[in-house]
Amino acid sequence: MAKLMNRRTFIKVSASAWAAALMAGCASPQGQGTTVEAPQSNIDYMTLVNKQHKLPDTWEDEVEIVHFKNTEDWDVDVEAKAYDAYLKLKDDLEAEGVFVDLDSAYRSVAAQQKIVDEFTEKYGEEYVKLYVAVPGFSEHHTGLALDLFLIIDGKGVYYNEDMVKYPEIWEKIHAKLADYGFILRYLPGKKIFTGYSYEPWHIRYLDDPEVAHEIMDAGLTFEEYLDEVEPCVAGCVADYGVSDLYAESDMDSALEAILSTFRGWEGCVMQRISFAGDDACGAEEIDYVNELREANEPDSEAFDQAIVFESDFHTSSEEQAEGAVWEPDTNYEGWTWHLGRTGADGGWKLMTWGYA
């Protein structure tokens, strides 16, 4: 599998595709530091767009987009009121010695489809499935999702692996978001609710500082606040513990592979899922998942990593059909999930599940 590109590379590679699909009616370019006079908007700023909730069909006709060039001379498009609020946030941060700029925000559905087509041809369907949002289901379509980058000693810091090296700066930024109607969209340890790993740079405009404070102060995801968490994981506790083998992003990727199967178990609700620990993911486990791989896909590349999760889940209270796997209204505790992958950049494959 091709190595996952960082966000800035992803954007630059696809710039030509995006340019053709941007809204013809975008506002004239504006320099940063000048507050935009945002018009009365017809859009609902509390609209949820994620992997399960599609962008409303009329959204792109109603949203007001502002176009500008940032300090790196990149073209950026963003919803008008969100841009106005961003400039105020930016000024406030600069008064405290924190400097940021806007990397990207609005991306049309048409542009997203071009990215999917381009990346499918270049990297394959598996890559696209793992790393590229389905057109119509990306929050960036709203124009309300803003990706920030840092400016340190006058230089832009915009690669993901570099930005995460400044947690103290992100903490200062996050502390001010709600004052201007923004929330941190993808929180650490909350992929099970949002579908995305922690992104300290990805903020979402809600146009209501009071609501934004309710969400941020309580440490909630947007899905939790709106009571729109997927039913199969509502109330689930995900615990990654401590690992010397895997980062949170590695475990998030494994969790997504597990959930893609679990979602198909109608009526089942995940109550708890946790990393089984480094001791459960050693040479013996690698041998085990490779035995399963050889039995099912003998010509596939051997795994060099393995990971195990443990979980509890509850089945539907409805009577099951004769011969069904699950007992109705039953807790299944200590259920294990075994996954393997090839290389740190490879996707996890769920090989088996059940009682250990």
Side-chain angles (χ1 to χ4, degrees):
M1 179 179 290
K3 181 176 175 61
L4 174 62
M5 294 187 293
N6 57 57
R7 179 164 49 92
R8 173 45 45 189
T9 303
F10 181 96
I11 291 171
K12 291 179 74 175
V13 166
S14 304
S16 60
W18 293 357
L22 289 174
M23 290 182 64
C26 289
S28 300
Q30 301 199 27
Q32 293 195 60
T34 302
T35 301
V36 176
E37 290 296 330
Q40 186 69 30
S41 178
N42 293 322
I43 64 174
D44 179 2
Y45 288 89
M46 294 294 290
T47 296
L48 174 66
V49 177
N50 62 12
K51 293 182 178 182
Q52 290 76 44
H53 293 79
K54 188 175 182 291
L55 184 78
D57 291 339
T58 60
W59 188 276
E60 290 185 307
D61 294 328
E62 297 174 349
V63 67
E64 184 73 20
I65 298 297
V66 171
H67 173 83
F68 74 98
K69 286 185 177 290
N70 67 11
T71 54
E72 299 287 333
D73 202 34
W74 301 331
D75 291 305
V76 182
D77 297 272
V78 60
E79 192 275 334
K81 292 183 75 174
Y83 183 58
D84 181 50
Y86 156 73
L87 292 177
K88 294 173 182 175
L89 169 66
K90 185 173 184 290
D91 287 343
D92 191 354
L93 289 169
E94 289 182 358
E96 305 235 348
V98 175
F99 298 89
V100 299
D101 205 344
L102 189 53
D103 183 327
S104 63
Y106 173 74
R107 189 184 312 146
S108 73
V109 176
Q112 188 74 15
Q113 184 61 58
K114 290 188 177 184
I115 292 170
V116 168
D117 295 342
E118 177 184 336
F119 277 62
T120 298
E121 181 178 354
K122 192 170 185 178
Y123 300 108
E125 291 183 3
E126 184 178 357
Y127 179 96
V128 170
K129 183 178 179 181
L130 284 171
Y131 301 121
V132 184
V134 174
F137 292 84
S138 170
E139 192 176 54
H140 280 289
H141 297 327
T142 65
L144 306 175
L146 283 61
D147 286 336
L148 306 175
F149 69 90
L150 304 176
I151 300 175
I152 308 293
D153 296 329
K155 296 182 179 179
V157 179
Y158 37 78
Y159 291 107
N160 298 358
E161 60 268 28
D162 293 329
M163 289 198 290
V164 296
K165 297 176 182 178
Y166 299 93
E168 298 86 358
I169 295 178
W170 288 115
E171 185 176 350
K172 293 179 181 179
I173 294 170
H174 298 162
K176 291 183 177 292
L177 293 180
D179 292 343
Y180 300 95
F182 291 99
I183 60 171
L184 179 62
R185 187 63 180 90
Y186 304 129
L187 284 69
K190 296 273 193 171
K191 178 182 172 65
I192 198 164
F193 299 139
T194 66
Y196 292 93
S197 299
Y198 174 51
E199 294 186 359
W201 50 79
H202 185 116
I203 64 176
R204 165 63 194 266
Y205 184 61
L206 301 181
D207 192 36
D208 189 331
E210 185 175 343
V211 171
H213 268 289
E214 287 182 32
I215 295 172
M216 290 289 290
D217 295 348
L220 297 174
T221 65
F222 198 30
E223 285 81 0
E224 289 174 291
Y225 181 79
L226 296 175
D227 197 22
E228 289 289 353
V229 173
E230 283 188 273
C232 68
V233 295
C236 179
V237 176
D239 181 9
Y240 291 167
V242 177
S243 175
D244 293 325
L245 293 177
Y246 301 119
E248 180 175 319
S249 58
D250 296 314
M251 297 195 199
D252 279 345
S253 180
L255 177 64
E256 184 58 37
I258 292 169
L259 291 179
S260 67
T261 291
F262 186 77
R263 289 185 182 105
W265 298 359
E266 187 174 355
C268 292
V269 178
M270 189 76 76
Q271 299 169 318
R272 176 193 67 87
I273 189 162
S274 61
F275 173 56
D278 287 351
D279 291 344
C281 304
E284 185 175 341
E285 181 66 18
I286 295 174
D287 289 341
Y288 176 53
V289 294
N290 271 311
E291 288 176 11
L292 297 171
R293 177 194 56 79
E294 289 170 2
N296 294 283
E297 301 177 18
D299 296 329
S300 61
E301 190 173 4
F303 298 131
D304 54 24
Q305 293 182 324
I307 194 168
V308 181
F309 279 76
E310 298 174 347
S311 68
D312 304 332
F313 66 92
H314 189 83
T315 61
S316 171
S317 59
E318 297 180 4
E319 289 296 322
Q320 307 294 298
E322 185 177 352
V325 175
W326 314 118
E327 292 292 330
D329 197 18
T330 300
N331 285 327
Y332 285 79
E333 299 178 349
W335 198 262
T336 60
W337 308 81
H338 302 256
L339 305 91
R341 73 176 179 183
T342 305
D345 296 321
W348 290 105
K349 280 194 172 183
L350 179 59
M351 302 308 297
T352 190
W353 55 85
Y355 285 119

